[in-house]
Amino acid sequence: MRFMFACGGTAGHINPAIAVAGRLRELMPDCEILFVGCVRQMETVLVPKSGYDIKTVRVCNISREKTLGGLAHNIKALYFAIKSTIQARRIIKKFKPDIVIGTGGYVCYPVLRSASRLGIPRTPPAVHESNAVPGLTTKMLSKIVDKIMLGFAESKRYYKHSEKCVVTGTPVRGEFAAYSKSKAKAELGIPADKPLVVSVWGSLGAANMNAAMCKFIKLAGKNPGFRLIHSAGSEGYAEMVTALQETVPDYEKNGMDVREYIYDMPRVMAAADLVLCRAGASTVSELTYMHKPTIFVPSPYVTNNHQFKNAKVVEDAGGALIFEEESLDAGALLNEVKRILSSKDELEKMSQAMAKLARPEATDMITEQVLSLCQGIEK
């Protein structure tokens, strides 16, 4: 059988597709798999690195600004929508997939729309939405797909065709199940009884959060009562280290580990007692999967403020707290970290809430949905 995945833009859209493709390959070693993504985007790196072929089309996001600039941008987006649809049709006709699965990103629309119009596959396409509130692309596709797979149960209320919806969760990379907390802490050289706080804001880093964490580290002082591993990102690392050397020259002796990037993320996350981070869909899935109490600072720069909405679902369930970046105070953040870490009951309560949100079976559920749609297709 031939499976085509359309995804792009963020890890939250790409990783679920890679996880399901991997499970399909385990079950059907002879199956053919092709990804379709957008030119010069993250998927063109992550997909080949995972061992899959990828074809690209060019798409453009839609501006919500009611200005001349916004209008000009949307005219450009329309041009690329038409062009990408033509490109998608060519790719689909050549590959001849049995089913097309979209897992998020603007690239999904031209690919799944083309698949539906071409009658390829012989069953309608399917889409997975990892965010708590569906994006514009998923809403537009909901009319033509046969199945809408959801990362959050709360998402179902946003769809008119709720009979198409099934809550699957969002797949998490298998590496996140490889470590116990005790093993991870031992490998990192952290005493089992010493709390670890992990602070991470993306591979490039976030200037505002690095500045806030500089103040956080300074205020924590010589005996903070916990260890910290902070990922400053490739664009902010040098500046942050320089700032810390000027203001807190002994920060490393105080148990503050500032890194450019956390290359051993599954191990570090396993060792964590409390995580400070953004609220992208993949991140939320990983944290619930590992039952990690969290303080979210959602990115205010993403479309439709979806990170805040993801975080709110977790906060309402009792597994996390939300600090908004615009009003973030490093002292208040430090006080909250200390309060949570000082209470084993609070940590356990938050961990249990995260566990209730987790869907470790997500990869298997999505794979089953895809294969059920393929039933009856002639080999």
Side-chain angles (χ1 to χ4, degrees):
M1 293 191 70
R2 296 186 181 92
F3 300 94
M4 178 178 284
F5 290 89
C7 59
T10 68
H13 295 149
I14 303 162
N15 286 337
I18 291 174
V20 175
R23 188 58 50 84
L24 288 169
R25 184 166 278 178
E26 289 174 8
L27 297 172
M28 308 169 68
D30 295 329
C31 72
E32 296 180 47
I33 296 173
L34 179 66
F35 281 72
V36 182
C38 183
V39 295
R40 295 191 296 276
Q41 294 296 313
M42 188 184 297
E43 57 270 27
T44 62
V45 176
L46 294 183
V47 170
K49 187 176 179 181
S50 298
Y52 301 100
D53 293 330
I54 185 169
K55 299 292 184 182
T56 57
V57 300
R58 187 169 182 182
V59 295
C60 183
N61 66 330
I62 297 173
S63 173
R64 290 173 170 77
E65 293 183 9
K66 296 179 180 180
T67 62
L68 288 176
L71 176 62
H73 180 92
N74 287 338
I75 292 173
K76 178 182 176 182
L78 177 61
Y79 167 76
F80 282 120
I82 296 171
K83 187 175 181 179
S84 62
T85 299
I86 295 171
Q87 293 172 325
R89 287 173 65 91
R90 289 173 182 166
I91 294 169
I92 291 169
K93 285 182 177 180
K94 185 174 181 179
F95 184 66
K96 298 179 181 178
D98 290 298
I99 188 167
V100 180
I101 308 103
T103 58
Y106 287 104
V107 70
C108 286
Y109 187 79
V111 177
L112 271 68
R113 185 69 176 173
S114 297
S116 177
R117 289 184 173 179
L118 287 170
I120 302 173
R122 282 152 281 184
T123 183
V127 66
H128 176 267
E129 175 57 73
S130 54
N131 288 304
V133 177
L136 178 62
T137 301
T138 309
K139 284 184 177 179
M140 292 170 66
L141 288 170
S142 63
K143 297 177 182 179
I144 66 169
V145 298
D146 191 65
K147 192 70 66 176
I148 305 167
M149 298 170 284
L150 306 175
F152 292 88
E154 289 78 3
S155 302
K156 196 170 182 178
R157 69 174 188 254
Y158 294 100
Y159 294 94
K160 293 181 180 179
H161 304 279
S162 59
E163 72 282 357
K164 296 181 179 182
C165 297
V166 57
V167 181
T168 61
T170 297
V172 171
R173 291 174 288 168
E175 304 97 292
F176 283 91
Y179 292 91
S180 65
K181 180 184 285 188
S182 59
K183 178 185 177 183
K185 279 192 172 181
E187 291 188 7
L188 292 169
I190 298 173
D193 60 349
K194 178 68 72 172
L196 173 65
V197 177
V198 174
S199 167
V200 58
W201 312 98
S203 60
L204 297 179
N208 289 344
M209 294 313 304
N210 281 341
M213 292 309 297
C214 277
K215 295 178 183 177
F216 179 98
I217 290 170
K218 181 179 180 181
L219 291 170
K222 293 185 179 298
N223 298 295
F226 59 87
R227 296 281 185 89
L228 172 73
I229 295 178
H230 171 75
S231 176
S234 58
E235 293 185 356
Y237 176 71
E239 183 178 353
M240 183 169 183
V241 168
T242 298
L244 285 172
Q245 288 173 342
E246 292 176 354
T247 58
V248 197
D250 54 352
Y251 70 93
E252 291 178 302
K253 293 181 180 179
N254 298 341
M256 304 295 170
D257 180 0
V258 177
R259 305 182 183 183
E260 180 177 342
Y261 185 76
I262 299 176
Y263 291 97
D264 53 342
M265 186 66 79
R267 178 170 59 179
V268 169
M269 282 296 189
D273 293 277
L274 180 64
V275 180
L276 317 178
C277 63
R278 296 302 198 192
S282 273
T283 299
V284 172
S285 296
E286 289 162 2
L287 293 167
T288 57
Y289 181 82
M290 301 182 82
H291 311 169
K292 295 298 176 180
T294 304
I295 295 178
F296 288 118
V297 184
S299 172
Y301 311 110
V302 297
T303 303
N304 201 27
N305 201 24
H306 72 250
Q307 284 201 9
F308 180 85
K309 294 165 185 174
N310 292 345
K312 193 69 172 67
V313 171
V314 185
E315 183 183 60
D316 288 346
L321 297 176
I322 298 174
F323 275 66
E324 295 195 58
E325 183 173 313
E326 185 178 352
S327 57
L328 182 65
D329 177 79
L333 179 61
L334 177 61
N335 288 338
E336 198 61 37
V337 166
K338 288 185 173 182
R339 183 190 70 80
I340 293 171
L341 293 179
S342 68
S343 172
K344 289 185 178 180
D345 287 344
E346 180 74 3
L347 284 168
E348 182 59 26
K349 176 184 171 184
M350 293 177 74
S351 180
Q352 289 179 0
M354 296 298 266
K356 289 179 181 178
L357 290 172
R359 290 188 175 269
E361 72 284 2
T363 300
D364 288 330
M365 285 193 67
I366 295 174
T367 301
E368 288 172 6
Q369 292 294 325
V370 169
L371 292 177
S372 70
L373 291 171
C374 294
Q375 287 180 359
I377 295 177
E378 296 178 5
K379 308 296 188 292

